[in-house]
Amino acid sequence: MLNLNFNSEVLYSAAFSRISARNYKKHPLSKDDYSYIKEKVDYVNSLNTGIKVCLIHQSGEDVFKGIIGSYGKINNAPSYLMLVGETERENIETIIGFLGEYLVLECEARAVGSCWVAGTFKKSNLPEEVIIKDNEKLFSLIALGYNGDPEEMAKKAANSRKRKPLSKIVTNFEELSKSPDPIQKAIELAQIAPSAINLQPWKFKVSTKSIEVFIDQGLLPIERLKNLKKIDLGIATFHIITALRYFNEEPALSFGDGESFAKITI
């Protein structure tokens, strides 16, 4: 179970406005924005979920070198988040995605751009002050900064919103229109969740009281993408929780132990 305190109205709106950014202005985060993000990072780290998030307030040029984000190379990011997780912790990739997207949307609410970045990271390029233990792994980075190319962002806005139709991602699509409005809105917010290379590796099954989340097994069955898919499902699950709370529901999240990856009930 992951219980987070957040303003669902603010983050629901942020989910619709956010576009992955890879080109940033060169100046650093403002003192107020840095303090706000640091407060949210500290909150996540207090939850004892098996992950630790490090907010690095310096250029990530060396770290991002050779690593490609969802929409291309990262340029001039003045700060970034490191998402480190305990490798033996159950559902750790999903938790990384869930809590990471919470931070991404909190940043968006402050007009701080972001980009999920995954890949193989060279330890020699990582900040010396961040210690990754033997039972831990750096699962992902999130670039942070102020969007530096409005025209580029406008072009990406169109491309990044290319989403699979609901009929392709809801396994019992005929039941969706019969579901309560909060369920329908939650699926719509999950539909626009970011994912690695825009793969959208999720499937959903709805009922009047629940949404089940499945991994799309037919997409690129490559072992090295397996963990990325799980992170993506965590991101989509956070969107579902956010929408349900926005529509005054009190969702409960449980992770599946069989075919179902996760289940959210209201």
Side-chain angles (χ1 to χ4, degrees):
M1 180 69 67
L2 287 170
N3 293 313
L4 281 175
N5 293 319
F6 61 88
N7 186 320
S8 58
E9 183 175 354
V10 169
L11 298 196
Y12 183 77
S13 176
F16 283 106
S17 64
R18 181 194 174 266
I19 300 296
S20 181
R22 65 181 178 87
N23 293 310
Y24 299 90
K25 296 178 180 178
K26 291 185 177 181
H27 61 75
L29 298 178
S30 72
K31 183 177 179 180
D32 286 345
D33 285 339
Y34 175 80
S35 296
Y36 183 86
I37 297 168
K38 182 65 166 58
E39 177 184 324
K40 300 305 178 184
V41 166
D42 289 344
Y43 170 55
V44 167
N45 287 335
S46 73
L47 298 175
N48 191 29
T49 59
I51 83 164
K52 66 181 179 187
V53 182
C54 305
L55 172 57
I56 309 301
H57 197 41
Q58 65 187 47
S59 171
E61 291 300 306
D62 289 339
V63 179
F64 293 125
K65 192 177 298 181
I67 303 297
I68 303 299
S70 297
Y71 302 102
K73 186 179 178 182
I74 307 301
N75 298 308
N76 302 321
S79 298
Y80 58 96
L81 299 175
M82 296 176 59
L83 279 67
V84 178
E86 297 174 8
T87 54
E88 298 302 318
R89 186 71 71 108
E90 192 173 7
N91 302 305
I92 190 64
E93 295 92 351
T94 309
I95 296 170
I96 290 283
F98 190 94
L99 295 177
E101 186 66 2
Y102 158 71
L103 293 171
V104 160
L105 296 185
E106 287 285 7
C107 289
E108 176 64 23
R110 301 284 298 192
V112 175
S114 61
C115 183
W116 280 90
V117 183
T120 302
F121 307 101
K122 291 184 178 180
K123 287 188 176 182
S124 60
N125 290 340
L126 300 177
E128 293 182 359
E129 65 268 25
V130 177
I131 299 174
I132 301 177
K133 301 176 183 177
D134 291 340
N135 68 329
E136 294 178 332
K137 174 183 174 181
L138 174 57
F139 282 88
S140 184
L141 302 176
I142 298 175
L144 299 177
Y146 302 111
N147 298 333
D149 192 338
E151 185 176 343
E152 178 75 11
M153 290 299 293
K155 291 178 182 178
K156 278 191 209 171
N159 291 332
S160 67
R161 292 307 188 201
K162 290 181 179 178
R163 290 295 189 260
K164 296 175 183 177
L166 294 176
S167 60
K168 295 293 185 182
I169 62 174
V170 180
T171 59
N172 58 339
F173 177 69
E174 67 283 354
E175 296 297 320
L176 184 60
S177 61
K178 305 174 188 177
S179 300
D181 193 53
I183 294 286
Q184 296 185 45
K185 296 300 184 182
I187 291 294
E188 290 172 5
L189 200 68
Q191 182 187 28
I192 66 169
S195 60
I197 59 175
N198 202 22
L199 197 59
Q200 306 165 60
W202 40 64
K203 295 280 190 179
F204 307 104
K205 184 178 180 180
V206 301
S207 74
T208 57
K209 289 290 184 179
S210 69
I211 298 173
E212 288 185 84
V213 183
F214 302 85
I215 194 164
D216 190 341
Q217 301 290 355
L219 289 175
L220 296 179
I222 301 173
E223 185 62 27
R224 66 184 178 83
L225 292 178
K226 187 176 180 180
N227 289 342
L228 295 183
K229 289 181 183 179
K230 292 179 180 179
I231 291 174
D232 292 341
L233 265 64
I235 294 172
T237 299
F238 183 74
H239 277 223
I240 290 171
I241 295 290
T242 299
L244 290 174
R245 286 193 184 178
Y246 177 78
F247 287 96
N248 300 314
E249 298 291 347
E250 292 296 331
L253 168 64
S254 59
F255 293 112
D257 54 7
E259 183 182 354
S260 176
F261 195 81
K263 187 173 185 178
I264 302 99
T265 56
I266 58 175

